[in-house]
Amino acid sequence: MTNKQTHLNLYKKIGLLALSLALVGIFAIACKAKNTSNGEYVSLPQAQKQDSLASIAAFKDVYAVLMHPRCMNCHPTGDIPLQGDESRIHTMLPQRGPDGKGISTMKCATCHAATGVPGEHTPPGNPSWHLPPADMKMVFQGKSARELALQLVNPEKNGHKDMQALREHAEDTLVKSGWNIGGHRELPPLSYDEFKEVWYAWIDNGAYAPSN
Amino acid sequence: MALYTINVNGTSHQVDVDPDTPLLWILRDNLRLLGTKYGCGIAHCGVCTIHLDGEATRSCAYPISAIENKKIVTIEGLSEKGDHPVQKAWIEHDVPQCGYCQAGQIMTAASLLAQNSNPSDDEIRRAMNGNLCRCATYTRINRAIKTASKEM
């Protein structure tokens, strides 16, 4: 091999390396700066698929569940939870409190035991019954699908969850209790397994926010 | 049926009941502690309030299986001689009319004052929101709590 050929091979290798680095950089920026049409950023894990249509289609079903009384009643705009299939203000006016678990003699656990007693209209049981805390209220009530999607993926508004923690939130015992509420209370529009499927589909396809 | 050991007013009791049985049923039917009343049975009125580890709790909505080793105090065990500051203030202000709700009212008020010995009017109102009085003696209840707070 001549000196000229050796130099050409070296230049090719350097060129390929530079091209590879540039592609990695572009991919990283693309993953970091999605959903930026209104200036809000959504950080996504590098390995995720990017299918905005599939993600937004899944979120339509996610939104229908999250805005159902079984979910939304504990994500109110005010500091008093909602109650019942009509999402009326909770009787007795229990307050959110700093940690979301109520105040002094009016804590959630005052009436909601770890397991409820059987019967119509008895308080549903859960060992961790609570609202979001006062310093991050994670309001669902009144939110559009786009507003809620952007809130869910923002760690400053979603309880400091990264995308993996957000994904795993589907396994939270209080989330699950929405499907095991007791009495004749209406259940969310999807089964729990169906909800998990669309929740994961929304996140795994990029956690896109719908346009409205 | 299952065997449970519970501590009520400092005394240990064994009861053989269904795990879903509300604590109120056990207090009244098994232990014959009749000071705690049945009102609505769905934790909406506060009449059945007792203390679980010092926390005001609705005994009608609390199954025995969830008690574990928590200490239970009923109105009978709030004080040895009925002389808890809230009980004394209750008499001073002649609070009860029919009296059916007062055990729950007193237990909630005592729990509030144990956590906050000098509550504001607003804090009293918020803490007592879950205890209904069909005779509407709320003004006297609030005054009695203010009086009791001076002794706490």
Side-chain angles (χ1 to χ4, degrees), chain A:
Chain A
M1 189 181 289
T2 65
N3 276 347
K4 192 175 177 183
Q5 282 174 318
T6 305
H7 280 126
L8 274 174
N9 280 341
L10 186 60
Y11 292 147
K12 277 181 189 169
K13 282 177 185 170
I14 291 170
L16 278 171
L17 183 62
L19 185 62
S20 303
L21 286 171
L23 285 172
V24 168
I26 289 165
F27 181 71
I29 290 165
C31 288
K32 183 81 179 167
K34 242 170 35 62
N35 288 344
T36 56
S37 59
N38 66 350
E40 296 200 49
Y41 285 77
V42 180
S43 294
L44 296 170
Q46 298 284 335
Q48 283 183 341
K49 292 179 281 182
Q50 301 294 306
D51 186 339
S52 60
L53 292 179
S55 182
I56 287 169
F59 191 75
K60 186 180 175 189
D61 290 330
V62 168
Y63 181 69
V65 171
L66 300 192
M67 297 304 279
H68 187 273
R70 295 290 80 76
C71 294
M72 190 189 72
N73 281 0
C74 287
H75 291 266
T77 52
D79 287 324
I80 297 172
L82 306 174
Q83 190 178 36
D85 294 344
E86 311 86 351
S87 294
R88 62 186 180 277
I89 293 282
H90 196 298
T91 55
M92 299 165 277
L93 312 178
Q95 305 285 311
R96 181 190 301 273
D99 62 359
K101 295 181 179 177
I103 58 162
S104 65
T105 61
M106 290 285 284
K107 297 187 173 72
C108 302
T110 302
C111 301
H112 296 275
T115 51
V117 296
E120 192 62 29
H121 306 302
T122 56
N126 189 280
S128 181
W129 201 275
H130 65 277
L131 300 183
D135 63 358
M136 198 179 291
K137 296 182 181 178
M138 296 179 242
V139 174
F140 290 2
Q141 188 183 13
K143 293 275 165 74
S144 71
R146 177 175 179 78
E147 288 168 337
L148 189 54
L150 291 172
Q151 175 177 292
L152 287 169
V153 298
N154 185 344
E156 297 305 312
K157 295 179 180 176
N158 75 1
H160 306 296
K161 294 180 189 68
D162 62 18
M163 296 306 282
Q164 187 59 34
L166 187 67
R167 198 177 190 281
E168 289 166 4
H169 192 57
E171 297 288 346
D172 182 89
T173 58
L174 199 49
V175 170
K176 285 181 182 175
S177 74
W179 282 268
N180 184 29
I181 202 73
H184 288 102
R185 296 174 180 96
E186 186 182 287
L187 295 181
L190 303 183
S191 72
Y192 174 66
D193 286 339
E194 288 168 338
F195 169 69
K196 273 205 309 188
E197 200 172 304
V198 293
W199 178 253
Y200 294 152
W202 171 57
I203 293 172
D204 294 346
N205 284 300
Y208 279 81
S211 57
N212 53 36

Side-chain angles (χ1 to χ4, degrees), chain B residues 31-107:
Chain B
L31 306 184
R32 303 301 292 166
L33 292 168
L34 302 176
T36 308
K37 306 300 185 196
Y38 174 90
C40 63
I42 53 172
H44 273 209
C45 72
V47 165
C48 66
T49 303
I50 50 90
H51 293 175
L52 268 188
D53 281 348
E55 299 277 358
T57 303
R58 307 289 185 257
S59 60
C60 75
Y62 218 100
I64 183 74
S65 57
I67 300 289
E68 298 173 338
N69 57 358
K70 297 185 185 78
K71 286 191 168 63
I72 301 158
V73 173
T74 68
I75 186 69
E76 291 90 345
L78 183 63
S79 62
E80 276 190 31
K81 298 175 182 173
D83 57 355
H84 185 281
V86 175
Q87 289 170 305
K88 288 198 290 183
W90 229 251
I91 294 167
E92 183 182 331
H93 287 273
D94 200 12
V95 170
Q97 187 160 314
C98 84
Y100 197 76
C101 72
Q102 68 176 334
Q105 301 276 4
I106 289 170
M107 295 305 281

